[in-house]
């Protein structure tokens, strides 16, 4: 009851809401640090058994883990290859391989444009709307599909789907279009 009277539950609710909305740790590190130094706050957390959970969910011991090409590739699933033996099947396999190569090139720092470099976390943000993998992970893997109808890749964060155009079987063209798509749409879904 003292926690409710003192407003601690309201503060923790705001912290949890921020974590959920941002898809990761609270951005203003000074404010939570001051809260964690308050003995009455720590007593309430300890009594509720939240101290360990907070460390796990909030990346309490440093920055969120850096996303690697391998981790990003693991969260996508190529489930919609075209019919076996068809030209479209061959093209979809080429485009899928281009996607994986692109993600690895982003990790290596070779996906450059006039204003900078596209990194793996930029690709993650493009696909998911999140700049880091949330502490609890994603609800599902993102599926990669293919289309003959579009020039640019599209993403649906609601249905966990990435759709890549089949005409992007040439890697250099794929890389240029991906960089353009990622750079031209920064900030989608960011609060």
């Amino acid at each position: 009851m003292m926690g409710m009277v003192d407003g601690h539950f309201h503060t923790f609710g705001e912290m949890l809401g921020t974590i959920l909305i941002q898809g990761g740790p609270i951005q203003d590190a000074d404010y939570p640090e001051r809260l964690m130094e308050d003995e009455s706050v720590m007593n309430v957390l300890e009594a509720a058994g939240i101290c360990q959970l907070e460390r796990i969910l909030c990346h309490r011991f440093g920055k969120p883990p850096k996303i690697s090409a391998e981790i990003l590739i693991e969260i996508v699933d190529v489930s919609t290859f075209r019919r076996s033996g068809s030209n479209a099947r061959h093209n979809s396999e080429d485009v899928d391989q281009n996607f994986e190569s692109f993600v690895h090139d982003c990790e290596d720092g070779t996906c450059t444009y006039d204003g900078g470099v596209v990194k793996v976390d930029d690709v993650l943000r493009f696909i998911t709307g999140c700049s880091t993998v949330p502490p609890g992970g994603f609800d599902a893997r993102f599926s990669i599909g293919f289309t003959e109808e579009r020039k640019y890749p599209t993403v649906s964060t609601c249905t966990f789907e990435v759709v890549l155009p089949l005409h992007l079987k040439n890697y250099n063209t794929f890389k240029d279009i991906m960089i353009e798509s990622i750079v031209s749409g920064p900030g989608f879904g960011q609060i």
Side-chain angles (χ1 to χ4, degrees):
M1 289 305 291
M2 291 303 294
M4 189 166 6
V5 170
D6 292 341
H8 294 304
F9 292 125
H10 178 77
T11 302
F12 295 129
E14 287 178 342
M15 291 170 62
L16 182 58
T18 301
I19 290 168
L20 293 174
I21 289 171
Q22 295 293 335
I26 295 173
Q27 300 300 316
D28 181 5
D30 291 340
Y31 182 68
E33 293 302 324
R34 282 183 287 166
L35 268 179
M36 294 306 153
E37 293 170 3
D38 185 327
E39 189 174 333
S40 63
V41 171
M42 291 306 292
N43 290 340
V44 169
L45 286 174
E46 223 170 276
I50 295 176
C51 288
Q52 292 299 323
L53 185 60
E54 185 267 343
R55 289 182 181 135
I56 294 167
L57 293 179
C58 301
H59 303 293
R60 184 93 175 105
F61 295 114
K63 294 181 179 180
K66 184 176 168 119
I67 182 95
S68 69
E70 289 302 318
I71 291 171
L72 180 59
I73 290 168
E74 284 179 18
I75 68 169
V76 296
D77 177 34
V78 182
S79 57
T80 55
F81 278 131
R82 298 301 174 122
R83 194 185 53 185
S84 185
S86 69
N87 286 339
R89 171 67 179 240
H90 180 71
N91 290 348
S92 61
E93 289 171 348
D94 288 346
V95 172
D96 175 55
Q97 183 57 53
N98 286 344
F99 176 78
E100 287 191 25
S101 296
F102 177 75
V103 173
H104 284 285
D105 283 354
C106 288
E107 186 171 60
D108 295 340
T110 61
C111 293
T112 60
Y113 61 99
D114 290 339
V117 177
V118 174
K119 299 177 184 170
V120 177
D121 58 337
D122 297 319
V123 180
L124 178 70
R125 188 178 304 112
F126 176 72
I127 293 173
T128 68
C130 298
S131 56
T132 61
V133 175
F138 293 102
D139 291 341
R141 292 177 71 190
F142 282 74
S143 67
I144 292 184
F146 304 94
T147 184
E148 295 176 15
E149 301 170 5
R150 297 185 188 122
K151 179 179 178 182
Y152 291 95
T154 58
V155 177
S156 172
T157 57
C158 298
T159 60
F160 295 103
E161 184 178 33
V162 179
V163 179
L164 301 173
L166 283 173
H167 74 87
L168 297 177
K169 59 186 181 177
N170 173 283
Y171 180 68
N172 289 328
T173 304
F174 181 92
K175 186 174 178 178
D176 292 342
I177 294 288
M178 282 299 293
I179 290 171
E180 182 180 350
S181 298
I182 291 168
V183 171
S184 67
F188 173 77
Q190 301 298 306
I191 296 178

